[in-house]
Amino acid sequence: MTDIAKRYKHNPLLSPKDLKPSNKHMIIECLLNPGVFEFNGKTGLLVRVAERTVQKEGIVSVPIYNNLGKVEILNFNLNDPKLDTSDARIINYDGMDYLTTISHLRLLFSDDGITFKESEAYPSIFGEGEYESFGIEDCRVAKIEDTYYLTYTMVSTNGVGVGLRTTKDWKNFEKKGMILSPHNKDCAIFEEKINGLFYAFHRPSSPELGGNYIWLAESPDAVHWGNHKCIAKTREGKFDSNRLGAGAAPIKTEKGWLEIYHGATAGNRYCLGAILLDLKDPSKVIARSEEPIMEPKATYELTGFFGEVIFTNGHQLIGDKINMYYGAADEFVGLATFSIKEILKTLEQS
Ligand code: MAN
């Protein structure tokens, strides 16, 4: 048995029915991949809410944000031979891809890490402008000094890139624009500077030569990134054979920086693995999971909007315990706990 995650017995923690759609034209299809942070003594989740427009018979309609940040609806006839609806996440019409859902980020808070509630005082975060016209997704939150750094996926017809917004109070946000250009996602900033520099993982895609690998970069200000180094590649025959990407900010341990990442096969089965990096020079890899530390096995992980998916980009640390929040089957938010020591033990064995 390689799965060492302890799932919360009342999982899933959150389902689409638990929240209200952002407006009357939309229905919530999925809740997924939350960023996690602590604020005013509470646990905060920045949940990705994916909404679909209410569908009419014989027609597929998809939402996009126009330049004014308002939702527009595009309609396609289901019988049109130019339409491809084989992937639940994307439709293709005449060579152009459109997302079937559009995502925004919803703030939820909890006193116990289990019961999460929205508060009117903290409004949702929506995509804005031409680089976020298909929404914003999978936000990592890193707290450095008194500032929260939100790195998230910006989606539009221009491509998929990494956006940064910062906040101190979760009400006022500073938009720093696109910090890593397409195709790039899965960006997690370290919560501590090393030799005065910010560090971050990111995941550019280079399908013809190279692949979907985890990279590390440095920056003087968290906006301008350089000295990019590739630290983890896909491995044939393993759980991360087709694609991999970082989860949340890495955990500082005595043995090194511990990062929980997702790895997927060509069949789109998403598992979690761990990687250990040198404390002083995180471009040096000390160890990496041979087998996943968590794989889809509960019903809510195996079946949903997009089955066989476990994807994380947020956790809270309590001593040796990691409270990991994760997207299950791209539809639900689950909670699982890990022991840091236990993960490190599996890495020693590999
Ligand atoms: C991509 C991302 C995630 C999603 C997985 C699985 O890696 O867009 O948001 O959870 O695919 O579908």
Side-chain angles (χ1 to χ4, degrees):
M1 197 203 69
T2 61
D3 188 315
I4 54 166
K6 292 186 182 68
R7 287 155 176 84
Y8 172 55
K9 61 174 187 258
H10 299 303
N11 263 354
L13 209 58
L14 295 166
S15 307
K17 62 174 172 26
D18 298 331
L19 299 181
K20 288 203 174 71
S22 62
N23 69 58
K24 64 175 194 299
H25 306 293
M26 305 291 246
I27 45 172
I28 297 181
E29 200 82 22
C30 329
L31 299 185
L32 59 163
N33 312 352
V36 181
F37 58 95
E38 283 167 29
F39 178 64
N40 284 348
K42 292 184 191 287
T43 307
L45 291 188
L46 198 50
V47 178
R48 172 176 162 202
V49 176
E51 296 179 309
R52 182 193 279 266
T53 40
V54 178
Q55 300 292 302
K56 295 191 192 96
E57 223 183 289
I59 289 169
V60 181
S61 41
V62 296
I64 60 163
Y65 288 120
N66 64 19
N67 279 347
L68 304 169
K70 292 261 173 332
V71 171
E72 256 178 48
I73 297 166
L74 307 180
N75 294 310
F76 301 97
N77 200 316
L78 252 181
N79 299 325
D80 195 322
K82 289 186 201 146
L83 185 71
D84 177 0
T85 57
S86 54
D87 188 318
R89 302 168 298 179
I90 296 164
I91 62 159
N92 185 284
Y93 184 78
D94 206 10
M96 274 284 284
D97 280 335
Y98 299 91
L99 299 187
T100 54
T101 59
I102 196 163
S103 296
H104 65 274
L105 306 172
R106 209 69 80 92
L107 278 161
L108 275 76
F109 292 98
S110 168
D111 289 315
D112 60 6
I114 286 171
T115 311
F116 284 89
K117 292 244 147 54
E118 282 187 272
S119 149
E120 273 176 24
Y122 298 96
S124 307
I125 305 171
F126 289 92
E128 285 170 27
E130 62 174 315
Y131 298 108
E132 299 178 350
S133 57
F134 286 1
I136 52 176
E137 304 180 351
D138 303 347
C139 187
R140 280 77 175 166
V141 180
K143 191 176 184 211
I144 305 162
E145 285 143 25
D146 61 348
T147 304
Y148 295 92
Y149 293 78
L150 280 62
T151 47
Y152 59 88
T153 310
M154 294 172 133
V155 195
S156 75
T157 47
N158 302 295
V160 171
V162 176
L164 172 69
R165 298 188 196 190
T166 59
T167 185
K168 290 186 202 293
D169 58 7
W170 293 98
K171 288 180 179 166
N172 301 289
F173 295 85
E174 242 184 80
K175 279 188 234 138
K176 307 286 191 182
M178 190 181 283
I179 55 166
L180 294 163
S181 62
H183 186 107
N184 207 321
K185 48 162 65 173
D186 301 328
C187 176
I189 299 180
F190 286 46
E191 293 193 294
E192 201 179 289
K193 291 184 196 169
I194 304 168
N195 297 326
L197 292 173
F198 287 92
Y199 273 76
F201 298 118
H202 63 108
R203 211 291 296 281
S205 296
S206 178
E208 274 133 35
L209 199 59
N212 297 297
Y213 307 152
I214 300 179
W215 288 65
L216 183 77
E218 302 168 1
S219 169
D221 56 7
V223 174
H224 304 89
W225 294 90
N227 200 15
H228 301 271
K229 288 179 181 161
C230 182
I231 58 157
K233 296 186 180 178
T234 45
R235 299 176 297 184
E236 233 182 280
K238 294 206 190 293
F239 69 95
D240 47 13
S241 59
N242 194 46
R243 177 160 10 112
L244 66 162
I251 300 161
K252 195 176 191 184
T253 75
E254 281 173 14
K255 308 264 180 199
W257 294 103
L258 175 66
E259 175 63 11
I260 299 178
Y261 71 94
H262 66 265
T265 59
N268 286 319
R269 180 171 187 265
Y270 280 70
C271 297
L272 301 182
I275 190 160
L276 190 66
L277 308 170
D278 188 88
L279 280 183
K280 291 204 187 94
D281 176 3
S283 71
K284 286 190 188 142
V285 177
I286 301 168
R288 179 167 163 195
S289 302
E290 291 294 327
E291 304 287 339
I293 58 168
M294 185 172 183
E295 53 191 342
K297 64 174 186 186
T299 320
Y300 52 87
E301 297 163 351
L302 293 170
T303 46
F305 182 74
F306 199 75
E308 286 205 296
V309 171
I310 290 179
F311 188 103
T312 188
N313 49 260
H315 58 240
Q316 191 175 33
L317 298 179
I318 302 166
D320 176 61
K321 192 167 87 163
I322 304 172
N323 279 340
M324 192 197 72
Y325 297 88
Y326 66 101
D330 275 359
E331 182 166 339
F332 311 103
V333 173
L335 168 65
T337 62
F338 288 95
S339 144
I340 296 176
K341 281 200 195 95
E342 238 177 275
I343 300 180
L344 291 174
K345 208 152 81 190
T346 65
L347 287 174
E348 265 167 38
Q349 287 155 1
S350 63

